[in-house]
Amino acid sequence: MSLPPQFKAMEAVFSYENFRLAPKLAAQAEAAFLRPNPKLQHALSNSVDKGLPPISVLPMAGQYLSILTQLIGAKSVLEIGTLGGYSSICFAEAGARVTSVEINPKHRDVAIENVQGLDVEVLLGAALDVLPKLLEEGRQFDLVFIDADFKDHWEQFDMAVKLTRPGGGIFLDDVVASMFKNGYPGEGSESLLTRIGEDERVRATLMPTVASHPMLTTPVFNGFIMAIVKSH
């Protein structure tokens, strides 16, 4: 069966070969959309100077998080995985009070330096130790951003649901990378996707992404889960 002409044209446009253009497209988008931000620039340079790994949220992704925060009117954000505080700054500058959880003492110290002057608290500890304490305190957040250890994604997501107000959102980053790292699940087998899909407390979607990373020579195929909490 031959493809209709319009589908042949689409096949050419969306060809895998075009993924190689991702670095050029990313550079054009950054030049067009990003404005100088001394706070973010300092966070990046200070993190590098202090020896933190270069795995911060990319600038365009940070801008997306900032826009998302404003779109949903989030005034309180819980962040799981601080690193140097780059994404914390994005949330805070968008008008949210940020509670961030970081397991590494050195990373936390650098993050505190980087977020100085903003409404950000950085809590030290493993997420699965800290989050139950926040729940006991009755804390609720408008948005939860999970950007931490792949192996605990489900447990972190489960706690995030409990800590997000009904109608609030959960952003689970690096889901596709996590699945590839842990072994892509076969069809019909249980995975993070199936567990979240079966969770009646949320309505969720997976957004695949292609991005260019300055530390890598090829485009990065990744993706994130965005969920809205219906009930606890």
Side-chain angles (χ1 to χ4, degrees):
M1 179 179 176
S2 61
L3 288 173
Q6 62 268 34
F7 282 95
K8 288 185 177 180
M10 289 175 61
E11 192 173 39
V13 170
F14 296 117
S15 167
Y16 180 78
E17 293 299 312
N18 288 338
F19 282 13
R20 294 180 300 177
L21 299 176
K24 289 184 178 180
L25 180 59
Q28 291 175 6
E30 288 186 11
F33 297 145
L34 298 180
R35 301 291 181 267
N37 186 315
K39 193 77 173 175
L40 290 175
Q41 288 298 324
H42 171 74
L44 287 178
S45 60
N46 189 44
S47 296
V48 171
D49 291 344
K50 297 295 173 60
L52 270 60
I55 54 174
S56 292
V57 165
L58 294 174
M60 288 294 289
Q63 181 130 309
Y64 176 85
L65 294 175
S66 176
I67 292 170
L68 176 65
T69 302
Q70 293 179 294
L71 278 175
I72 69 173
K75 298 303 180 184
S76 58
V77 173
L78 171 62
E79 178 181 50
I80 303 173
T82 315
L83 193 62
Y86 187 94
S87 49
S88 305
I89 296 170
C90 294
F91 290 124
E93 290 190 337
R97 183 178 192 277
V98 182
T99 297
S100 192
V101 182
E102 174 55 50
I103 192 172
N104 187 304
K106 178 180 178 181
H107 295 179
R108 177 180 182 260
D109 290 344
V110 175
I112 289 174
E113 293 177 11
N114 292 339
V115 303
Q116 189 173 2
L118 297 175
D119 195 0
V120 178
E121 62 173 339
V122 186
L123 307 178
L124 179 63
L128 297 182
D129 293 332
V130 175
L131 300 183
K133 296 176 182 177
L134 296 178
L135 189 61
E136 288 176 6
E137 295 171 6
R139 302 281 294 275
Q140 290 279 278
F141 299 88
D142 298 320
L143 177 65
V144 178
F145 177 56
I146 304 173
D147 188 19
D149 197 334
F150 291 172
K151 68 180 178 62
D152 293 329
H153 266 173
W154 166 251
E155 290 78 11
Q156 293 165 357
F157 183 86
D158 178 57
M159 286 301 305
V161 174
K162 298 172 184 177
L163 285 161
T164 304
R165 64 164 176 81
I170 300 172
F171 188 118
L172 178 55
D173 205 11
D174 294 329
V175 171
V176 173
S178 171
M179 293 176 69
F180 287 148
K181 180 178 180 181
N182 295 326
Y184 189 77
E187 186 175 348
S189 62
E190 185 179 70
S191 69
L192 180 65
L193 300 185
T194 60
R195 296 186 77 173
I196 293 177
E198 293 168 355
D199 193 331
E200 294 294 335
R201 301 172 298 172
V202 301
R203 184 180 181 211
T205 188
L206 172 69
M207 292 297 296
T209 62
V210 177
S212 176
H213 195 288
M215 301 299 294
L216 300 173
T217 58
T218 58
V220 179
F221 176 45
N222 204 342
F224 61 87
I225 286 175
M226 191 73 210
I228 185 170
V229 175
K230 299 188 295 182
S231 63
H232 291 154

